[in-house]
Amino acid sequence: MEKSTKLISNFIWKFAERCGAQGVTFVVSIVLARLLDTAVYGTVAIVMVFITILQVFVDSGMGNALIQKKDADDLDFSSVFFFNIFMCTVMYLIIFLCAPFIADIYSDPQLILIIRVAGITILISGVKNIQQAYVSRNMLFKKFFFSTLGGTIGAAVVGIIMALYGFGVWAIVVQYLFNQIVDTLILWLVVDWKPKMMFSLERVKTLFSYGWKLLVSALLDTGYNNLYQLIIGFKYSKNDLAFYNQGDKWPKLVITNINSSISSVLFPALSKSQDDIEHLKNMTRRAIQVSSFLLWPVLFGIAAIADNLVVLLLTEKWLPCVPFIRIFCFTYGLWPIHTANLQAINATGHSDIFLKLELVKKFIGILALLVSMRYGTMAMAYSLIVVGIIATFVNALPNKKYIQYGYFEQIRDILPSLIMALIMGSIVYLVGLCNLPISLLLAVQIIVGVVIYLIESIVTKNIAFNYMLRVIFKKKTNDNCVLK
């Protein structure tokens, strides 16, 4: 019980950090969306695609390698730190020199300076990433709470002021850059570990032998996920890209909080228990049950109130993003299954399997993209649902062998929460058809949704719900009996 309690405690701190940061970001994004033109978001989306892809190279899979290595010491951490600084410098030079070519492709000269300024975040990542790995390895997620929240609040103020003074796209760029700088500074102040003047190329090679597979996997995943935006930005208009991205943003706001919390906490926890298959299965299973219980009702609720929510918060100019919100709500609902399975595979040291799974999934995804892109942005979004469903089976397949937790057993574990959320979401949608002032209607919809889901959880004696109550009220229980 002690290990599970520590796991949940760190999950709560990580979840609180994500909720705090995303809560502030949510409010700021609403303000900026009302102040700025929709095309501005299309421009920023294009820039962030290239920055995000290069960020994958910065870590090079080394952060996860440090977490996974049983006897990682100061020499390992310091060596990777200096290696990352070098990689960041190289990556920034690449994006700096390529900026004019990217601007030519999209016929937008202003992209040159925007890319070069936004790219500074790559250099910042070199200073920040190993601190994050140290926090994750030692399960010190309380540290993340203060650093992330400090950077986010400061960036929020800067972004809103710049938008009010008419800086347009630069309000978003500077906000993002400011957030990374302050976040990094605070993290360095609150975390005890600092790099020492030592370096071992052999240690780097050893860690890279594990991490390079994760690097390629992450690169495939990031490149694939951003490929949709690259094609929409090139083939369609910036407004089309803005609506697609805005529809993606809202469900992602929810999934980022829960999924990144699970990922950050679960991987180091599983790594420490990699030799105990039964415990690995129990933790993976619990992660899927609890995350599905938390995630599905929120996403189905957002899908049900999407139209009223967009009109109230973003104004009617953003209504074209509503169908995308609903599509992505279902797509992201599958993510906790992906995350729990993949982290279990990584924790058992099978990064080669991780890479093979990514190759299979990306092949399927690219086929779906090539078919759907000719039919418009909506068809491209729908194709992600099909790919997501197939990916759940692909990700779960190896864990039947490694931790004796198969695909159909996982489906049985998430099905109760999925059915409850579907019933709740349907009722909330019907309530939204009532003729009431929009703000009152949204309040009623949210209250009805919460009450219905709570009643369903109590009546059905949902496993995840009961386990969370036990943890919150610190009632002792056997780990395995809860899962029966």
Side-chain angles (χ1 to χ4, degrees):
M1 181 62 183
E2 184 179 349
K3 287 184 179 180
S4 292
T5 302
K6 185 178 180 181
L7 177 66
I8 295 297
S9 174
N10 277 282
F11 169 77
I12 290 171
W13 271 111
K14 183 63 181 177
F15 186 54
E17 173 243 319
R18 295 311 311 164
C19 283
Q22 294 292 347
V24 174
T25 302
F26 175 69
V27 173
V28 175
S29 67
I30 291 172
V31 175
L32 293 180
R34 297 174 73 95
L35 292 173
L36 301 174
D37 186 70
T38 55
V40 166
Y41 284 84
T43 301
V44 172
I46 292 171
V47 173
M48 292 312 300
V49 166
F50 294 98
I51 301 298
T52 302
I53 291 173
L54 287 181
Q55 286 279 15
V56 176
F57 285 97
V58 171
D59 181 61
S60 306
M62 298 293 222
N64 279 337
L66 285 171
I67 295 170
Q68 199 271 342
K69 187 178 180 182
K70 292 181 180 180
D71 56 349
D73 56 20
D74 277 342
L75 181 57
D76 290 304
F77 276 88
S78 297
S79 299
V80 174
F81 175 83
F82 292 114
F83 177 76
N84 269 17
I85 294 293
F86 171 75
M87 288 296 297
C88 287
T89 304
V90 173
M91 290 302 108
Y92 181 70
L93 287 175
I94 290 174
I95 194 69
F96 186 92
L97 296 174
C98 289
F101 301 102
I102 297 171
D104 286 343
I105 291 172
Y106 288 93
S107 302
D108 189 353
Q110 71 168 331
L111 286 178
I112 298 176
L113 184 58
I114 295 173
I115 289 172
R116 287 173 172 175
V117 173
I120 295 173
T121 57
I122 296 174
L123 296 173
I124 299 171
S125 295
V127 180
K128 177 183 177 182
N129 281 0
I130 306 307
Q131 290 279 16
Q132 290 178 316
Y134 182 84
V135 168
S136 296
R137 178 181 175 83
N138 293 282
M139 306 288 279
L140 303 171
F141 290 98
K142 191 175 180 179
K143 307 286 187 181
F144 270 138
F145 179 81
F146 297 105
S147 64
T148 303
L149 207 58
T152 305
I153 293 173
V157 175
V158 171
I160 291 174
I161 291 175
M162 291 187 68
L164 287 171
Y165 279 89
F167 282 91
V169 66
W170 288 105
I172 301 178
V173 173
V174 174
Q175 177 200 10
Y176 176 68
L177 184 59
F178 184 90
N179 191 355
Q180 297 298 311
I181 293 172
V182 175
D183 191 354
T184 303
L185 287 175
I186 296 176
L187 193 61
W188 266 69
L189 290 173
V190 300
V191 174
D192 293 334
W193 182 84
K194 299 294 184 295
K196 295 177 173 57
M197 296 306 296
M198 54 177 67
F199 182 84
S200 169
L201 185 60
E202 289 302 315
R203 295 289 184 95
V204 171
K205 288 179 179 178
T206 300
L207 290 165
F208 191 71
S209 66
Y210 172 88
W212 78 267
K213 299 158 192 170
L214 298 181
L215 165 63
V216 176
S217 299
L219 185 60
L220 284 170
D221 190 54
T222 304
Y224 168 74
N225 289 335
N226 287 280
L227 187 59
Y228 281 73
Q229 298 180 53
L230 285 174
I231 290 176
I232 293 172
F234 179 75
K235 188 175 177 64
Y236 301 99
S237 70
K238 288 183 179 178
N239 280 326
D240 289 325
L241 179 55
F243 295 137
Y244 179 93
N245 270 6
Q246 194 69 252
D248 177 50
K249 181 190 296 183
W250 289 56
K252 186 179 283 185
L253 186 69
V254 177
I255 189 64
T256 299
N257 289 332
I258 296 178
N259 203 58
S260 66
S261 301
I262 295 169
S263 180
S264 299
V265 176
L266 190 62
F267 179 56
L270 292 176
S271 295
K272 290 181 179 180
S273 302
Q274 57 188 277
D275 298 323
D276 187 345
I277 300 301
E278 183 180 359
H279 191 58
L280 275 176
K281 177 181 178 178
N282 286 339
M283 285 197 292
T284 304
R285 189 175 187 183
R286 180 155 296 151
I288 288 177
Q289 288 176 326
V290 172
S291 58
S292 296
F293 176 80
L294 293 172
L295 190 63
W296 281 116
V298 180
L299 290 176
F300 275 48
I302 290 174
I305 66 174
D307 47 356
N308 292 330
L309 195 63
V310 167
V311 171
L312 179 66
L313 298 181
L314 303 181
T315 71
E316 293 185 357
K317 69 180 180 181
W318 285 102
L319 271 175
C321 77
V322 170
F324 292 110
I325 291 176
R326 288 173 171 155
I327 292 170
F328 282 113
C329 277
F330 184 82
T331 303
Y332 286 130
L334 301 171
W335 273 30
I337 308 173
H338 302 319
T339 301
N341 277 294
L342 293 176
Q343 295 296 15
I345 292 170
N346 281 340
T348 53
H350 295 93
S351 58
D352 55 332
I353 300 298
F354 188 104
L355 176 56
K356 291 174 183 176
L357 295 179
E358 290 303 309
L359 289 171
V360 171
K361 290 182 295 184
K362 292 332 174 240
F363 176 75
I364 295 170
I366 290 173
L367 283 180
L369 174 61
L370 292 174
V371 172
S372 63
M373 61 184 284
R374 66 186 68 181
Y375 300 107
T377 55
M378 195 65 65
M380 293 170 67
Y382 275 118
S383 72
L384 290 173
I385 295 179
V386 178
V387 174
I389 293 172
I390 296 173
T392 58
F393 176 77
V394 173
N395 287 332
L397 198 59
N399 280 327
K400 184 172 179 61
K401 173 183 177 182
Y402 296 134
I403 60 174
Q404 285 81 57
Y405 190 30
Y407 178 72
F408 293 105
E409 191 176 1
Q410 293 179 27
I411 294 298
R412 286 196 300 271
D413 283 337
I414 70 166
L415 202 56
S417 296
L418 176 59
I419 293 173
M420 290 193 308
L422 182 59
I423 293 171
M424 180 274 295
S426 301
I427 295 172
V428 169
Y429 177 78
L430 293 174
V431 171
L433 300 178
C434 296
N435 187 19
L436 293 172
I438 192 167
S439 55
L440 177 61
L441 185 57
L442 273 172
V444 171
Q445 285 181 289
I446 293 171
I447 292 171
V448 168
V450 171
V451 171
I452 289 175
Y453 197 70
L454 184 60
I455 291 173
E456 289 176 321
S457 301
I458 296 172
V459 171
T460 61
K461 298 180 180 179
N462 184 274
I463 291 175
F465 177 68
N466 287 334
Y467 176 72
M468 290 178 66
L469 288 179
R470 290 174 182 271
V471 171
I472 292 170
F473 295 106
K474 298 181 180 179
K475 293 182 179 180
K476 291 185 179 180
T477 183
N478 181 276
D479 278 353
N480 296 324
C481 70
V482 179
L483 299 173
K484 290 181 180 178

mmCIF file of all heavy atoms in Angstrom, residues 113-148:
data_model
loop_
_atom_site.group_PDB
_atom_site.id
_atom_site.type_symbol
_atom_site.label_atom_id
_atom_site.label_comp_id
_atom_site.label_asym_id
_atom_site.label_seq_id
_atom_site.Cartn_x
_atom_site.Cartn_y
_atom_site.Cartn_z
ATOM 1 N N LEU A 113 11.584 36.103 -38.547
ATOM 2 C CA LEU A 113 11.916 36.625 -37.217
ATOM 3 C C LEU A 113 11.160 35.881 -36.122
ATOM 4 O O LEU A 113 11.715 35.607 -35.054
ATOM 5 C CB LEU A 113 11.593 38.124 -37.144
ATOM 6 C CG LEU A 113 11.988 38.824 -35.833
ATOM 7 C CD1 LEU A 113 13.488 38.663 -35.572
ATOM 8 C CD2 LEU A 113 11.613 40.308 -35.880
ATOM 9 N N ILE A 114 9.905 35.529 -36.385
ATOM 10 C CA ILE A 114 9.104 34.820 -35.381
ATOM 11 C C ILE A 114 9.746 33.479 -35.037
ATOM 12 O O ILE A 114 9.860 33.100 -33.870
ATOM 13 C CB ILE A 114 7.663 34.602 -35.885
ATOM 14 C CG1 ILE A 114 6.949 35.950 -36.056
ATOM 15 C CG2 ILE A 114 6.883 33.730 -34.914
ATOM 16 C CD1 ILE A 114 5.588 35.833 -36.703
ATOM 17 N N ILE A 115 10.180 32.746 -36.064
ATOM 18 C CA ILE A 115 10.817 31.437 -35.843
ATOM 19 C C ILE A 115 12.115 31.593 -35.062
ATOM 20 O O ILE A 115 12.394 30.818 -34.133
ATOM 21 C CB ILE A 115 11.083 30.737 -37.191
ATOM 22 C CG1 ILE A 115 9.761 30.274 -37.817
ATOM 23 C CG2 ILE A 115 12.030 29.557 -37.015
ATOM 24 C CD1 ILE A 115 9.902 29.747 -39.219
ATOM 25 N N ARG A 116 12.913 32.601 -35.407
ATOM 26 C CA ARG A 116 14.207 32.782 -34.745
ATOM 27 C C ARG A 116 14.049 33.181 -33.275
ATOM 28 O O ARG A 116 14.848 32.762 -32.428
ATOM 29 C CB ARG A 116 15.031 33.814 -35.507
ATOM 30 C CG ARG A 116 15.557 33.269 -36.837
ATOM 31 C CD ARG A 116 16.240 34.325 -37.676
ATOM 32 N NE ARG A 116 16.882 33.702 -38.845
ATOM 33 C CZ ARG A 116 17.477 34.383 -39.830
ATOM 34 N NH1 ARG A 116 17.495 35.731 -39.789
ATOM 35 N NH2 ARG A 116 18.040 33.746 -40.836
ATOM 36 N N VAL A 117 13.046 33.970 -32.972
ATOM 37 C CA VAL A 117 12.818 34.367 -31.576
ATOM 38 C C VAL A 117 12.211 33.204 -30.782
ATOM 39 O O VAL A 117 12.665 32.876 -29.681
ATOM 40 C CB VAL A 117 11.901 35.606 -31.505
ATOM 41 C CG1 VAL A 117 11.530 35.903 -30.052
ATOM 42 C CG2 VAL A 117 12.590 36.811 -32.127
ATOM 43 N N ALA A 118 11.174 32.572 -31.333
ATOM 44 C CA ALA A 118 10.536 31.450 -30.639
ATOM 45 C C ALA A 118 11.514 30.300 -30.438
ATOM 46 O O ALA A 118 11.431 29.552 -29.453
ATOM 47 C CB ALA A 118 9.320 30.976 -31.426
ATOM 48 N N GLY A 119 12.472 30.166 -31.358
ATOM 49 C CA GLY A 119 13.443 29.076 -31.273
ATOM 50 C C GLY A 119 14.384 29.167 -30.093
ATOM 51 O O GLY A 119 15.041 28.181 -29.734
ATOM 52 N N ILE A 120 14.444 30.336 -29.448
ATOM 53 C CA ILE A 120 15.308 30.488 -28.271
ATOM 54 C C ILE A 120 14.900 29.511 -27.172
ATOM 55 O O ILE A 120 15.710 29.111 -26.343
ATOM 56 C CB ILE A 120 15.252 31.952 -27.762
ATOM 57 C CG1 ILE A 120 15.851 32.892 -28.820
ATOM 58 C CG2 ILE A 120 16.002 32.108 -26.444
ATOM 59 C CD1 ILE A 120 15.705 34.367 -28.496
ATOM 60 N N THR A 121 13.635 29.096 -27.186
ATOM 61 C CA THR A 121 13.162 28.142 -26.177
ATOM 62 C C THR A 121 13.915 26.813 -26.268
ATOM 63 O O THR A 121 13.991 26.076 -25.290
ATOM 64 C CB THR A 121 11.656 27.875 -26.332
ATOM 65 O OG1 THR A 121 11.374 27.402 -27.658
ATOM 66 C CG2 THR A 121 10.849 29.138 -26.076
ATOM 67 N N ILE A 122 14.463 26.515 -27.440
ATOM 68 C CA ILE A 122 15.253 25.281 -27.598
ATOM 69 C C ILE A 122 16.511 25.358 -26.729
ATOM 70 O O ILE A 122 16.896 24.380 -26.076
ATOM 71 C CB ILE A 122 15.630 25.067 -29.073
ATOM 72 C CG1 ILE A 122 14.368 24.843 -29.911
ATOM 73 C CG2 ILE A 122 16.589 23.896 -29.229
ATOM 74 C CD1 ILE A 122 14.625 24.771 -31.399
ATOM 75 N N LEU A 123 17.153 26.539 -26.712
ATOM 76 C CA LEU A 123 18.343 26.720 -25.876
ATOM 77 C C LEU A 123 17.991 26.603 -24.397
ATOM 78 O O LEU A 123 18.742 26.024 -23.611
ATOM 79 C CB LEU A 123 18.969 28.093 -26.158
ATOM 80 C CG LEU A 123 19.511 28.308 -27.572
ATOM 81 C CD1 LEU A 123 19.950 29.758 -27.752
ATOM 82 C CD2 LEU A 123 20.673 27.362 -27.849
ATOM 83 N N ILE A 124 16.837 27.143 -24.033
ATOM 84 C CA ILE A 124 16.401 27.083 -22.629
ATOM 85 C C ILE A 124 16.179 25.639 -22.201
ATOM 86 O O ILE A 124 16.482 25.256 -21.072
ATOM 87 C CB ILE A 124 15.108 27.912 -22.439
ATOM 88 C CG1 ILE A 124 15.378 29.374 -22.793
ATOM 89 C CG2 ILE A 124 14.590 27.796 -21.013
ATOM 90 C CD1 ILE A 124 14.134 30.226 -22.851
ATOM 91 N N SER A 125 15.677 24.834 -23.114
ATOM 92 C CA SER A 125 15.396 23.434 -22.795
ATOM 93 C C SER A 125 16.645 22.677 -22.393
ATOM 94 O O SER A 125 16.595 21.745 -21.573
ATOM 95 C CB SER A 125 14.750 22.739 -23.998
ATOM 96 O OG SER A 125 13.489 23.294 -24.271
ATOM 97 N N GLY A 126 17.786 23.049 -22.954
ATOM 98 C CA GLY A 126 19.025 22.375 -22.607
ATOM 99 C C GLY A 126 19.389 22.551 -21.151
ATOM 100 O O GLY A 126 20.020 21.684 -20.537
ATOM 101 N N VAL A 127 18.998 23.676 -20.573
ATOM 102 C CA VAL A 127 19.278 23.953 -19.169
ATOM 103 C C VAL A 127 18.241 23.284 -18.262
ATOM 104 O O VAL A 127 18.530 22.920 -17.127
ATOM 105 C CB VAL A 127 19.278 25.482 -18.930
ATOM 106 C CG1 VAL A 127 19.576 25.820 -17.480
ATOM 107 C CG2 VAL A 127 20.283 26.166 -19.855
ATOM 108 N N LYS A 128 17.053 23.092 -18.781
ATOM 109 C CA LYS A 128 15.911 22.662 -17.961
ATOM 110 C C LYS A 128 15.696 21.144 -17.934
ATOM 111 O O LYS A 128 15.276 20.583 -16.904
ATOM 112 C CB LYS A 128 14.651 23.358 -18.486
ATOM 113 C CG LYS A 128 13.363 22.983 -17.803
ATOM 114 C CD LYS A 128 12.203 23.711 -18.481
ATOM 115 C CE LYS A 128 10.874 23.321 -17.888
ATOM 116 N NZ LYS A 128 9.751 23.987 -18.584
ATOM 117 N N ASN A 129 15.953 20.468 -19.034
ATOM 118 C CA ASN A 129 15.520 19.072 -19.184
ATOM 119 C C ASN A 129 16.072 18.103 -18.153
ATOM 120 O O ASN A 129 15.367 17.218 -17.666
ATOM 121 C CB ASN A 129 15.881 18.570 -20.593
ATOM 122 C CG ASN A 129 14.892 19.066 -21.629
ATOM 123 O OD1 ASN A 129 13.953 19.770 -21.304
ATOM 124 N ND2 ASN A 129 15.122 18.713 -22.880
ATOM 125 N N ILE A 130 17.354 18.243 -17.806
ATOM 126 C CA ILE A 130 17.944 17.285 -16.874
ATOM 127 C C ILE A 130 17.438 17.526 -15.454
ATOM 128 O O ILE A 130 17.303 16.586 -14.663
ATOM 129 C CB ILE A 130 19.486 17.340 -16.925
ATOM 130 C CG1 ILE A 130 19.960 17.147 -18.376
ATOM 131 C CG2 ILE A 130 20.087 16.260 -16.045
ATOM 132 C CD1 ILE A 130 19.401 15.909 -19.049
ATOM 133 N N GLN A 131 17.148 18.786 -15.132
ATOM 134 C CA GLN A 131 16.516 19.070 -13.840
ATOM 135 C C GLN A 131 15.170 18.356 -13.750
ATOM 136 O O GLN A 131 14.808 17.792 -12.717
ATOM 137 C CB GLN A 131 16.307 20.588 -13.675
ATOM 138 C CG GLN A 131 17.585 21.377 -13.473
ATOM 139 C CD GLN A 131 18.078 21.323 -12.040
ATOM 140 O OE1 GLN A 131 17.659 20.483 -11.261
ATOM 141 N NE2 GLN A 131 18.992 22.213 -11.684
ATOM 142 N N GLN A 132 14.436 18.375 -14.854
ATOM 143 C CA GLN A 132 13.145 17.683 -14.876
ATOM 144 C C GLN A 132 13.322 16.175 -14.695
ATOM 145 O O GLN A 132 12.537 15.531 -13.987
ATOM 146 C CB GLN A 132 12.425 17.976 -16.202
ATOM 147 C CG GLN A 132 11.930 19.396 -16.330
ATOM 148 C CD GLN A 132 11.271 19.659 -17.666
ATOM 149 O OE1 GLN A 132 11.776 19.255 -18.707
ATOM 150 N NE2 GLN A 132 10.147 20.338 -17.649
ATOM 151 N N ALA A 133 14.340 15.619 -15.335
ATOM 152 C CA ALA A 133 14.599 14.187 -15.202
ATOM 153 C C ALA A 133 14.955 13.834 -13.755
ATOM 154 O O ALA A 133 14.534 12.799 -13.230
ATOM 155 C CB ALA A 133 15.729 13.765 -16.144
ATOM 156 N N TYR A 134 15.725 14.706 -13.102
ATOM 157 C CA TYR A 134 16.105 14.474 -11.699
ATOM 158 C C TYR A 134 14.870 14.483 -10.795
ATOM 159 O O TYR A 134 14.716 13.635 -9.915
ATOM 160 C CB TYR A 134 17.084 15.560 -11.256
ATOM 161 C CG TYR A 134 17.579 15.383 -9.836
ATOM 162 C CD1 TYR A 134 18.641 14.535 -9.553
ATOM 163 C CD2 TYR A 134 16.975 16.064 -8.780
ATOM 164 C CE1 TYR A 134 19.101 14.371 -8.243
ATOM 165 C CE2 TYR A 134 17.411 15.901 -7.473
ATOM 166 C CZ TYR A 134 18.477 15.062 -7.215
ATOM 167 O OH TYR A 134 18.909 14.886 -5.917
ATOM 168 N N VAL A 135 13.991 15.432 -11.032
ATOM 169 C CA VAL A 135 12.753 15.526 -10.247
ATOM 170 C C VAL A 135 11.910 14.266 -10.456
ATOM 171 O O VAL A 135 11.368 13.694 -9.507
ATOM 172 C CB VAL A 135 11.952 16.783 -10.634
ATOM 173 C CG1 VAL A 135 10.549 16.738 -10.043
ATOM 174 C CG2 VAL A 135 12.672 18.040 -10.158
ATOM 175 N N SER A 136 11.784 13.823 -11.709
ATOM 176 C CA SER A 136 10.971 12.644 -12.014
ATOM 177 C C SER A 136 11.576 11.384 -11.391
ATOM 178 O O SER A 136 10.857 10.570 -10.806
ATOM 179 C CB SER A 136 10.859 12.456 -13.533
ATOM 180 O OG SER A 136 10.172 13.539 -14.119
ATOM 181 N N ARG A 137 12.883 11.227 -11.515
ATOM 182 C CA ARG A 137 13.538 10.019 -10.995
ATOM 183 C C ARG A 137 13.353 9.898 -9.484
ATOM 184 O O ARG A 137 13.130 8.811 -8.954
ATOM 185 C CB ARG A 137 15.032 10.045 -11.338
ATOM 186 C CG ARG A 137 15.784 8.845 -10.776
ATOM 187 C CD ARG A 137 17.260 8.904 -11.120
ATOM 188 N NE ARG A 137 17.978 7.818 -10.480
ATOM 189 C CZ ARG A 137 18.076 6.580 -10.952
ATOM 190 N NH1 ARG A 137 17.490 6.278 -12.092
ATOM 191 N NH2 ARG A 137 18.766 5.655 -10.311
ATOM 192 N N ASN A 138 13.434 11.045 -8.798
ATOM 193 C CA ASN A 138 13.359 11.041 -7.344
ATOM 194 C C ASN A 138 11.961 11.340 -6.810
ATOM 195 O O ASN A 138 11.793 11.541 -5.601
ATOM 196 C CB ASN A 138 14.365 12.053 -6.776
ATOM 197 C CG ASN A 138 15.805 11.647 -7.033
ATOM 198 O OD1 ASN A 138 16.358 10.788 -6.363
ATOM 199 N ND2 ASN A 138 16.412 12.258 -8.044
ATOM 200 N N MET A 139 10.977 11.355 -7.738
ATOM 201 C CA MET A 139 9.574 11.530 -7.359
ATOM 202 C C MET A 139 9.379 12.786 -6.512
ATOM 203 O O MET A 139 8.735 12.786 -5.462
ATOM 204 C CB MET A 139 9.072 10.298 -6.600
ATOM 205 C CG MET A 139 9.280 8.982 -7.317
ATOM 206 S SD MET A 139 8.176 8.751 -8.727
ATOM 207 C CE MET A 139 6.699 8.203 -7.899
ATOM 208 N N LEU A 140 9.945 13.912 -6.977
ATOM 209 C CA LEU A 140 9.842 15.190 -6.255
ATOM 210 C C LEU A 140 8.908 16.151 -6.997
ATOM 211 O O LEU A 140 9.255 17.290 -7.289
ATOM 212 C CB LEU A 140 11.240 15.830 -6.118
ATOM 213 C CG LEU A 140 12.301 14.975 -5.422
ATOM 214 C CD1 LEU A 140 13.677 15.632 -5.551
ATOM 215 C CD2 LEU A 140 11.949 14.758 -3.959
ATOM 216 N N PHE A 141 7.711 15.682 -7.283
ATOM 217 C CA PHE A 141 6.838 16.435 -8.173
ATOM 218 C C PHE A 141 6.275 17.704 -7.548
ATOM 219 O O PHE A 141 5.700 18.544 -8.233
ATOM 220 C CB PHE A 141 5.706 15.525 -8.676
ATOM 221 C CG PHE A 141 6.203 14.482 -9.625
ATOM 222 C CD1 PHE A 141 6.472 13.199 -9.182
ATOM 223 C CD2 PHE A 141 6.461 14.795 -10.939
ATOM 224 C CE1 PHE A 141 6.958 12.246 -10.050
ATOM 225 C CE2 PHE A 141 6.958 13.845 -11.816
ATOM 226 C CZ PHE A 141 7.213 12.568 -11.372
ATOM 227 N N LYS A 142 6.446 17.846 -6.257
ATOM 228 C CA LYS A 142 6.050 19.089 -5.599
ATOM 229 C C LYS A 142 6.876 20.254 -6.140
ATOM 230 O O LYS A 142 6.412 21.396 -6.192
ATOM 231 C CB LYS A 142 6.249 18.943 -4.085
ATOM 232 C CG LYS A 142 5.637 20.054 -3.259
ATOM 233 C CD LYS A 142 5.786 19.728 -1.774
ATOM 234 C CE LYS A 142 5.173 20.825 -0.912
ATOM 235 N NZ LYS A 142 5.285 20.507 0.531
ATOM 236 N N LYS A 143 8.130 19.956 -6.550
ATOM 237 C CA LYS A 143 9.008 20.993 -7.105
ATOM 238 C C LYS A 143 8.444 21.553 -8.408
ATOM 239 O O LYS A 143 8.532 22.749 -8.683
ATOM 240 C CB LYS A 143 10.406 20.413 -7.368
ATOM 241 C CG LYS A 143 11.053 19.714 -6.185
ATOM 242 C CD LYS A 143 11.531 20.690 -5.147
ATOM 243 C CE LYS A 143 12.328 19.977 -4.067
ATOM 244 N NZ LYS A 143 12.794 20.890 -3.008
ATOM 245 N N PHE A 144 7.873 20.662 -9.230
ATOM 246 C CA PHE A 144 7.301 21.094 -10.504
ATOM 247 C C PHE A 144 6.158 22.085 -10.290
ATOM 248 O O PHE A 144 5.951 22.987 -11.085
ATOM 249 C CB PHE A 144 6.763 19.886 -11.277
ATOM 250 C CG PHE A 144 7.778 19.248 -12.179
ATOM 251 C CD1 PHE A 144 7.883 17.869 -12.257
ATOM 252 C CD2 PHE A 144 8.625 20.011 -12.950
ATOM 253 C CE1 PHE A 144 8.805 17.267 -13.095
ATOM 254 C CE2 PHE A 144 9.556 19.424 -13.793
ATOM 255 C CZ PHE A 144 9.649 18.050 -13.858
ATOM 256 N N PHE A 145 5.402 21.872 -9.238
ATOM 257 C CA PHE A 145 4.220 22.692 -8.977
ATOM 258 C C PHE A 145 4.595 24.177 -8.920
ATOM 259 O O PHE A 145 3.968 25.019 -9.559
ATOM 260 C CB PHE A 145 3.566 22.254 -7.660
ATOM 261 C CG PHE A 145 2.360 23.057 -7.284
ATOM 262 C CD1 PHE A 145 1.129 22.793 -7.855
ATOM 263 C CD2 PHE A 145 2.462 24.082 -6.363
ATOM 264 C CE1 PHE A 145 0.012 23.543 -7.512
ATOM 265 C CE2 PHE A 145 1.361 24.836 -6.008
ATOM 266 C CZ PHE A 145 0.129 24.563 -6.579
ATOM 267 N N PHE A 146 5.645 24.492 -8.162
ATOM 268 C CA PHE A 146 6.014 25.885 -7.964
ATOM 269 C C PHE A 146 6.674 26.495 -9.199
ATOM 270 O O PHE A 146 6.414 27.646 -9.553
ATOM 271 C CB PHE A 146 6.940 26.014 -6.747
ATOM 272 C CG PHE A 146 6.285 25.595 -5.463
ATOM 273 C CD1 PHE A 146 6.602 24.389 -4.860
ATOM 274 C CD2 PHE A 146 5.325 26.399 -4.869
ATOM 275 C CE1 PHE A 146 5.988 23.992 -3.689
ATOM 276 C CE2 PHE A 146 4.703 26.012 -3.685
ATOM 277 C CZ PHE A 146 5.030 24.807 -3.088
ATOM 278 N N SER A 147 7.535 25.735 -9.870
ATOM 279 C CA SER A 147 8.229 26.285 -11.042
ATOM 280 C C SER A 147 7.264 26.545 -12.195
ATOM 281 O O SER A 147 7.281 27.607 -12.813
ATOM 282 C CB SER A 147 9.339 25.329 -11.500
ATOM 283 O OG SER A 147 8.810 24.103 -11.938
ATOM 284 N N THR A 148 6.403 25.577 -12.471
ATOM 285 C CA THR A 148 5.475 25.712 -13.592
ATOM 286 C C THR A 148 4.465 26.820 -13.354
ATOM 287 O O THR A 148 4.180 27.624 -14.251
ATOM 288 C CB THR A 148 4.736 24.383 -13.837
ATOM 289 O OG1 THR A 148 5.694 23.358 -14.070
ATOM 290 C CG2 THR A 148 3.808 24.490 -15.029
#
